[in-house]
Amino acid sequence: MAFASSVSPSYSFPNLSSKPRKILTAPNKIHHFTLLQNTPIFRIGCDSKLRGRNSSNYNISASATTTDTLINEALEKAQLPKGGTWSIHKFGGTCVGTSERIQNVGDIVVKDESERKLVVVSAMSKVTDMMYDLIFRAQSRDDSYIIALDAVLEKHKSTAIDLLQGDDLANFLTRLHKDINDLKAMLRAIYVAGHATESFTDFVVGHGELWSAQLLSAVVRKSGIECSWMDTRDVLVVNPTSTNQVDPDYLESNNRLEKWYSKNKSDMIIATGFIATTPQNIPTTLKRDGSDFSAAIMGALLEAGQVTIWTDVDGVYSADPRKVNEAVILEKLSYQEAWEMSYFGANVLHPRTIIPVMKYDIPIVIRNIFNLSAPGTMICQTGDFGNVDDQPVGSSVKGFATIDNLALVNVEGTGMAGVPGTANEIFGAVKDVGANVIMISQASSEHSVCFAVPEKEVKAVRAALESRFRQALDAGRISQIAIIPNCSILAAVGQKMASTPGVSATLFNALAKANINIRAIAQGCSEYNITVVVKREDSIRALRAVHSRFYLSRTTIAMGIIGPGLIGATLLDQLRDQTAVLKEKFNIDLRVMGITGSKTMLLSDTGVDLAIWRDDQKTKGEKADLQKFENHIRGNHFIPNTVIVDCTADSYVASHYHEWLRRGIHVITPNKKANSGPFEQYLKLRTLQRQSYTHYFYEATVGAGLPIISTLQGLLETGDKILRIEGIFSGTLSYIFNNFAGERAFSEVVKEAKDAGYTEPDPRDDLSGTDVARKVIILARESGLKLELSDIPIQSLVPEPLKDRSPEEYMHQLPQYDQDWSKQRQEAEATGEVLRYVGVVDVVNKKGTVELRRYKKEHPFAQLSGSDNIIAFSTQRYEKQPLIVRGPGAGAEVTAGGVFCDILRLASYLGAPS
Ligand SMILES: NC(=O)C1=CN([C@@H]2O[C@H](COP(=O)(O)OP(=O)(O)OC[C@H]3O[C@@H](n4cnc5c(N)ncnc54)[C@H](OP(=O)(O)O)[C@@H]3O)[C@@H](O)[C@H]2O)C=CC1
Ligand SMILES: N[C@@H](CC=O)C(=O)O
Ligand code: NA
């Protein structure tokens, strides 16, 4: 008989278990059908023993007289194919917002090569709001609902006129006018009653989807493809839940789908999103974002191969792209990850959308209708992710999200430990005021429970807790109910976190390095989520810090350069030439976010273009403002690590280091003012540096790019004892005395040193010996001496009358003193000696000296050339033969290079590979 052969065993029947069920047939002897409850067996046969017995077990039973009808029904039902041949698409309101967009959607679905397609559409954008507004106006007895209804009519009429012609247009308009008339009558009833029931409201608002589905199906038919449209109220049956949501009744929906399909057989179905029906056939909706849910349910009912949710973003981002510029689109997410991300407000599906498809392992793909080249994000089982063990720790976290405007409530007291029911009491009180607990944390000591609630609910929560625990508070069993306002939650989500050691360490490390304090921690037992509570003001920075740690190069550093003078500008040029290499080879990503001088500054949100910063400073520069500059470098971009590089010689700029370090900004400088300024301030700075995760590097303050500070620190840190540091610390004075050999006048050689960029901005800082004294102080303090600059006797080479002149006048009048200098030089030469300006740190006797001395021509100090510095460390280990560092100790390139080295040292402290 035809029945047996026409029913393919691959078809499944009204039952939601995932595998196709086998069909048992008994050809020629069909007397009744039995669907055994709770068994996946659809029995067709004449088993007389079953007839009339246990009828409550049978969903379908029939006598022989109705056999023909039932056979026909069964045949029709069996013809609803299920499985991977179905592709489900869902288009939201913006996707069908205009006639062009509806046409575009039509083109997309026609092009989909799947064997069978079911397309779920939302109402045209804004239409659902317009429909709710109609209800609002009508029940407020506002006559304007009639005009508003006309606008709804007009919108759909003009869209239809744009898209359709002939009979298609006429049919659509006839239905539209009829619907509008019905709505008019219904709204009139609402107007008179001054009230709309929920089902009336649902009936009215659902029209947007009815019209868009009809429009789209007519558009698809225009292209010659057979297409049915489905009013999903005929199919989707849902039950309301106590939480104002709805639960699909899959069994009944499946029955109705089979029935619907038997009358509308088609491989292309356009279905309404959002709307459904109750078991009593009362129109209802799937609530906000319900169209996604519709698509997922239809996907499950058809056991589809894929559900594609079309939207206006490229997919699911690793973090909110409005907060993290460098957020990336995630290629794949597991169902659980999507779940976690959506809870934290990421632009993912509502968790309920995932439930139906998860059951059948149906992937959901989120795609951008406005960017078809973007592959989108696929949400599927983790099994499809490849070998997780091959992937680095960094890939174990998929995304990050924050929730702001929270308060932490901390209930604390010794009387809580080991007392069953305390948590129940606490959360019972919270529930009584209707507050939503977003995170809970309790350490096993049980002395405190801490939880986060929305800030706006915390007042009520506190009052409820104080009242509930009045007695315990009075008795001291609970010591306090503390509220910490202005908090945010930061969550890291990733399924592989569960099996990857080191993820939380990396996360906490990133936060520590960005100087962000964690106030509370919680981790879901699934380990898919680590949640931390941070200060509200740190929320975005924390998000950027962790995101960049897992997604960007390990060491992306935002830099602010102060003082684009000789050294600063040279540094910027070196950075320009080297950043690409650093990024490529060492994964170090350096971005200059701002440059400021004393008058103008240049700020950028994404990074200054170092090829044209000089021009940009002129054309786009603004008035310099150090506070604004700091705020910009620290806060206005997506990079968590920040460093300010001070290339000035300014004490005022240096006075900010402490505050910058305190705020988590690393400081790098060739400026000697901070380390040679008042000892108290120096100590404060160094103490803070040692206590925090922020770094302060100043290698170029002594010997420019030569490794002086780092050598000294290395000796000290490895336990050597410094006895004496002696040397030529001034590049300028070295150059001058190396070149003042009788051919040129002293003033000429000073000018050469200045022109070569060896001198301080004011050359008298060098000639007066102050610059050398500062270096001596820096090294002395580094060696543990508590010296002030004023403790060092300095032999100045600046003639007394020129001390208070301007730098220009000084240079101008210097030739007057050339004779005196020639005399001094000749006197030295006569005894086979040369003049050298030296500095000494006498650690043993706790003093420093700075003076002009004579050295025999054979002495190493007499062998220098150019701007060479030479520094001899006499230590316990290097007692007989001092450790000597020698080389050019001034000049733009070497000094900028020294500063650059400090920047790379910072990068390596932040985790850059060596
Ligand atoms: N030259 C060398 O060989 C070495 C130099 N150094 C140190 O490097 C530093 C820079 O020297 P150099 O480049 O020669 O000096 P320059 O005079 O060439 O540059 C100084 C820069 O600092 C800026 N500046 C000054 N005051 C302020 C302020 N209050 N706020 C913002 N910017 C300010 C100036 O900007 P504007 O023009 O707008 O006023 C200028 O851009 C000095 O501390 C020096 O000791 C260290 C080792 C070696
Ligand atoms: N002016 C200084 C520059 C380095 O600190 C010098 O001459 O050494
Ligand atoms: Na140095």
Side-chain angles (χ1 to χ4, degrees):
M1 173 186 174
F3 180 71
S5 54
S6 68
V7 177
S8 158
S10 68
Y11 293 166
S12 57
F13 276 74
N15 181 305
L16 277 185
S17 91
S18 63
K19 302 288 171 270
R21 265 96 21 212
K22 199 169 176 196
I23 298 168
L24 308 176
T25 60
N28 304 319
K29 293 176 187 166
I30 298 168
H31 291 146
H32 67 262
F33 299 86
T34 307
L35 177 63
L36 292 179
Q37 249 186 14
N38 304 325
T39 57
I41 302 168
F42 188 86
R43 188 180 289 252
I44 307 166
C46 63
D47 187 348
S48 58
K49 276 184 253 161
L50 284 173
R51 193 187 310 162
R53 278 181 54 199
N54 248 349
S55 58
S56 67
N57 277 344
Y58 314 146
N59 283 33
I60 306 167
S61 67
S63 66
T65 50
T66 56
T67 300
D68 287 351
T69 326
L70 289 167
I71 290 170
N72 285 339
E73 270 187 28
L75 279 169
E76 284 163 352
K77 284 180 185 177
Q79 283 169 15
L80 168 57
K82 291 196 174 183
T85 55
W86 281 102
S87 164
I88 312 289
H89 292 268
K90 178 259 162 174
F91 294 92
T94 36
C95 301
V96 291
T98 61
S99 47
E100 293 81 30
R101 289 186 183 174
I102 294 175
Q103 183 62 55
N104 182 35
V105 167
D107 295 343
I108 290 173
V109 295
V110 167
K111 272 189 207 135
D112 175 357
E113 288 173 354
S114 307
E115 210 176 322
R116 298 184 179 88
K117 292 165 265 190
L118 184 138
V119 179
V120 173
V121 278
S122 301
M124 293 176 75
S125 61
K126 302 207 179 71
V127 166
T128 304
D129 287 341
M130 289 167 95
M131 303 307 278
Y132 276 115
D133 184 52
L134 290 176
I135 309 261
F136 176 77
R137 289 179 199 228
Q139 69 183 0
S140 312
R141 299 208 167 105
D142 177 348
D143 292 326
S144 65
Y145 77 85
I146 299 170
I147 301 165
L149 185 60
D150 283 346
V152 172
L153 168 67
E154 256 330 291
K155 185 174 176 91
H156 290 88
K157 197 171 154 184
S158 62
T159 308
I161 291 169
D162 278 354
L163 289 166
L164 309 175
Q165 300 81 30
D167 284 353
D168 287 342
L169 179 60
N171 291 341
F172 177 81
L173 291 181
T174 306
R175 166 88 198 235
L176 178 66
H177 281 290
K178 183 188 170 301
D179 288 345
I180 293 286
N181 282 336
D182 289 349
L183 285 174
K184 207 172 269 171
M186 183 164 255
L187 289 165
R188 173 73 194 154
I190 293 170
Y191 179 92
V192 171
H195 172 73
T197 62
E198 195 181 333
S199 50
F200 269 34
T201 305
D202 285 351
F203 175 79
V204 172
V205 295
H207 277 75
E209 275 73 12
L210 294 174
W211 297 323
S212 58
Q214 289 171 73
L215 279 170
L216 181 60
S217 63
V219 166
V220 171
R221 271 195 303 274
K222 259 191 345 182
S223 62
I225 291 176
E226 194 217 327
C227 172
S228 308
W229 82 274
M230 176 194 283
D231 176 348
T232 37
R233 293 174 306 186
D234 295 338
V235 172
L236 289 190
V237 182
V238 295
N239 290 299
T241 70
S242 58
T243 52
N244 199 28
Q245 289 296 325
V246 289
D247 283 335
D249 178 338
Y250 286 104
L251 199 57
E252 182 54 23
S253 299
N254 198 65
N255 284 336
R256 293 193 187 192
L257 175 61
E258 301 255 8
K259 202 169 274 171
W260 183 91
Y261 190 78
S262 70
K263 298 190 177 76
N264 301 275
K265 290 188 197 85
S266 174
D267 289 341
M268 168 75 98
I269 302 168
I270 311 291
T272 54
F274 184 54
I275 54 178
T277 184
T278 67
Q280 297 75 33
N281 297 323
I282 298 167
T284 186
T285 71
L286 304 184
K287 313 299 170 202
R288 283 276 165 186
D289 291 330
S291 295
D292 289 353
F293 197 23
S294 309
I297 300 168
M298 293 310 295
L301 290 173
L302 292 168
E303 296 172 29
Q306 181 169 305
V307 174
T308 307
I309 307 283
W310 291 89
T311 171
D312 54 2
V313 290
D314 281 349
V316 180
Y317 281 90
S318 51
D320 183 343
R322 287 163 304 182
K323 293 177 180 164
V324 182
N325 284 11
E326 304 208 341
V328 295
I329 294 289
L330 300 168
E331 197 190 320
K332 277 186 180 171
L333 273 180
S334 73
Y335 294 121
Q336 286 80 3
E337 285 167 340
W339 230 323
E340 294 276 357
M341 293 283 284
S342 58
Y343 174 77
F344 288 97
N347 193 10
V348 200
L349 300 173
H350 192 283
R352 67 186 173 144
T353 308
I354 298 163
I355 300 167
V357 291
M358 225 172 129
K359 191 168 176 185
Y360 294 97
D361 286 2
I362 303 169
I364 303 185
V365 180
I366 297 177
R367 294 206 48 197
N368 189 352
I369 193 159
F370 305 114
N371 181 12
L372 296 181
S373 62
T377 299
M378 178 180 278
I379 299 169
C380 55
Q381 286 293 11
T382 33
D384 305 337
F385 284 9
N387 184 1
V388 291
D389 294 338
D390 294 346
Q391 292 157 22
V393 173
S395 65
S396 52
V397 177
K398 283 292 176 57
F400 301 92
T402 49
I403 306 178
D404 292 329
N405 303 323
L406 300 177
L408 266 187
V409 182
N410 189 10
V411 184
E412 217 174 302
T414 47
M416 289 165 64
V419 181
T422 311
N424 181 41
E425 288 284 300
I426 294 172
F427 295 111
V430 177
K431 175 180 171 277
D432 289 349
V433 294
N436 186 27
V437 177
I438 293 171
M439 187 214 87
I440 304 171
S441 167
Q442 182 184 23
S444 62
S445 70
E446 295 180 58
H447 285 114
S448 66
V449 175
C450 143
F451 57 93
V453 292
E455 192 107 58
K456 59 180 182 339
E457 290 167 2
V458 75
K459 218 169 138 196
V461 168
R462 171 188 235 159
L465 288 170
E466 281 174 351
S467 140
R468 178 80 61 111
F469 289 103
R470 188 71 276 150
Q471 201 184 340
L473 281 162
D474 291 345
R477 278 180 287 116
I478 289 195
S479 55
Q480 65 164 344
I481 295 167
I483 307 296
I484 305 162
N486 303 321
C487 290
S488 292
I489 272 181
L490 165 73
V493 171
Q495 198 156 347
K496 274 193 287 152
M497 279 162 40
S499 55
T500 316
V503 178
S504 56
T506 310
L507 183 86
F508 296 140
N509 190 258
L511 292 171
K513 282 183 170 162
N515 206 32
I516 288 159
N517 188 32
I518 300 172
R519 310 199 104 146
I521 302 170
Q523 181 182 23
C525 297
S526 62
E527 299 182 58
Y528 297 164
N529 175 329
I530 300 175
T531 299
V532 296
V533 178
V534 297
K535 269 194 261 173
R536 166 78 188 89
E537 65 190 78
D538 286 339
S539 153
I540 293 185
R541 231 158 43 80
L543 183 65
R544 290 169 181 168
V546 294
H547 188 273
S548 78
R549 181 64 185 80
F550 284 89
Y551 272 95
L552 286 187
S553 130
R554 281 169 147 261
T555 42
T556 303
I557 305 175
M559 313 208 313
I561 310 285
I562 308 185
L566 180 67
I567 305 302
T570 308
L571 174 67
L572 286 164
D573 291 343
Q574 290 181 357
L575 285 166
R576 176 199 61 207
D577 296 342
Q578 196 63 9
T579 37
V581 179
L582 288 174
K583 197 165 178 188
E584 201 177 304
K585 287 204 173 150
F586 301 99
N587 215 13
I588 296 172
D589 192 353
L590 302 176
R591 315 212 184 157
V592 176
M593 311 305 286
I595 301 170
T596 186
S598 63
K599 294 165 213 77
T600 50
M601 66 180 180
L602 174 66
L603 305 180
S604 163
D605 285 330
T606 48
V608 172
D609 182 345
L610 296 184
I612 51 166
W613 69 267
R614 287 178 177 85
D615 290 340
D616 279 354
Q617 200 186 27
K618 282 182 208 129
T619 55
K620 299 182 190 158
E622 54 188 280
K623 194 169 174 295
D625 175 341
L626 202 54
Q627 187 57 54
K628 189 173 172 193
F629 184 78
E630 179 210 312
N631 290 344
H632 175 80
I633 301 302
R634 180 171 175 259
N636 282 347
H637 52 81
F638 47 95
I639 304 164
N641 300 306
T642 49
V643 59
I644 288 183
V645 183
D646 170 22
C647 293
T648 73
D650 198 78
S651 302
Y652 173 71
V653 175
S655 72
H656 289 77
Y657 297 174
H658 187 270
E659 196 51 27
W660 291 339
L661 291 171
R662 210 180 56 75
R663 294 195 180 141
I665 304 172
H666 309 287
V667 176
I668 290 174
T669 188
N671 180 356
K672 300 157 202 111
K673 297 291 157 55
N675 280 12
S676 61
F679 184 76
E680 273 308 306
Q681 283 174 29
Y682 165 82
L683 196 64
K684 222 174 117 196
L685 191 59
R686 298 301 309 279
T687 309
L688 175 69
Q689 176 205 5
R690 289 195 174 126
Q691 283 167 355
S692 70
Y693 272 92
T694 36
H695 299 288
Y696 170 45
F697 297 140
Y698 42 85
E699 178 59 84
T701 55
V702 181
L706 297 179
I708 307 296
I709 303 282
S710 51
T711 301
L712 177 55
Q713 288 177 342
L715 293 169
L716 289 165
E717 282 160 20
T718 57
D720 201 354
K721 297 268 176 307
I722 310 297
L723 305 174
R724 184 182 173 86
I725 308 168
E726 181 173 5
I728 293 179
F729 294 109
S730 168
T732 302
L733 296 177
S734 179
Y735 179 88
I736 291 171
F737 292 110
N738 294 339
N739 290 281
F740 179 45
E743 297 97 26
R744 299 191 298 288
F746 184 79
S747 60
E748 258 182 84
V749 186
V750 171
K751 188 169 178 307
E752 281 171 25
K754 184 173 178 339
D755 293 346
Y758 303 146
T759 66
E760 293 303 293
D762 180 347
R764 281 170 303 179
D765 283 345
D766 301 284
L767 275 293
S768 67
T770 310
D771 180 71
V772 177
R774 287 190 186 281
K775 290 166 180 166
V776 164
I777 280 289
I778 292 170
L779 297 179
R781 287 176 177 177
E782 204 71 45
S783 309
L785 303 187
K786 291 180 184 163
L787 291 180
E788 293 286 359
L789 195 56
S790 54
D791 294 330
I792 310 236
I794 310 174
Q795 183 183 353
S796 175
L797 310 185
V798 177
E800 198 55 36
L802 300 189
K803 253 176 65 182
D804 300 320
R805 302 290 167 85
S806 71
E808 293 73 29
E809 274 180 293
Y810 163 76
M811 291 302 289
H812 187 68
Q813 295 190 20
L814 196 57
Q816 294 171 20
Y817 301 87
D818 283 343
Q819 284 291 346
D820 298 350
W821 278 109
S822 288
K823 203 166 148 237
Q824 272 203 64
R825 191 194 69 74
Q826 280 159 8
E827 280 171 13
E829 197 172 28
T831 57
E833 289 173 322
V834 293
L835 298 171
R836 292 294 182 260
Y837 199 92
V838 296
V840 177
V841 182
D842 183 348
V843 181
V844 177
N845 297 303
K846 298 190 174 59
K847 60 178 194 175
T849 48
V850 164
E851 61 196 5
L852 186 67
R853 288 186 186 166
R854 288 187 186 182
Y855 286 88
K856 286 284 174 206
K857 283 194 173 152
E858 306 75 46
H859 192 277
F861 286 8
Q863 312 297 315
L864 306 181
S865 62
S867 68
D868 275 0
N869 279 191
I870 182 163
I871 291 103
F873 295 93
S874 300
T875 73
Q876 223 165 46
R877 289 179 197 149
Y878 294 94
E879 201 172 0
K880 292 201 181 87
Q881 282 285 3
L883 186 161
I884 291 179
V885 181
R886 177 190 154 168
E893 288 295 340
V894 294
T895 307
V899 178
F900 200 168
C901 271
D902 273 350
I903 295 170
L904 296 189
R905 186 143 69 107
L906 172 66
S908 83
Y909 275 50
L910 296 175
S914 53

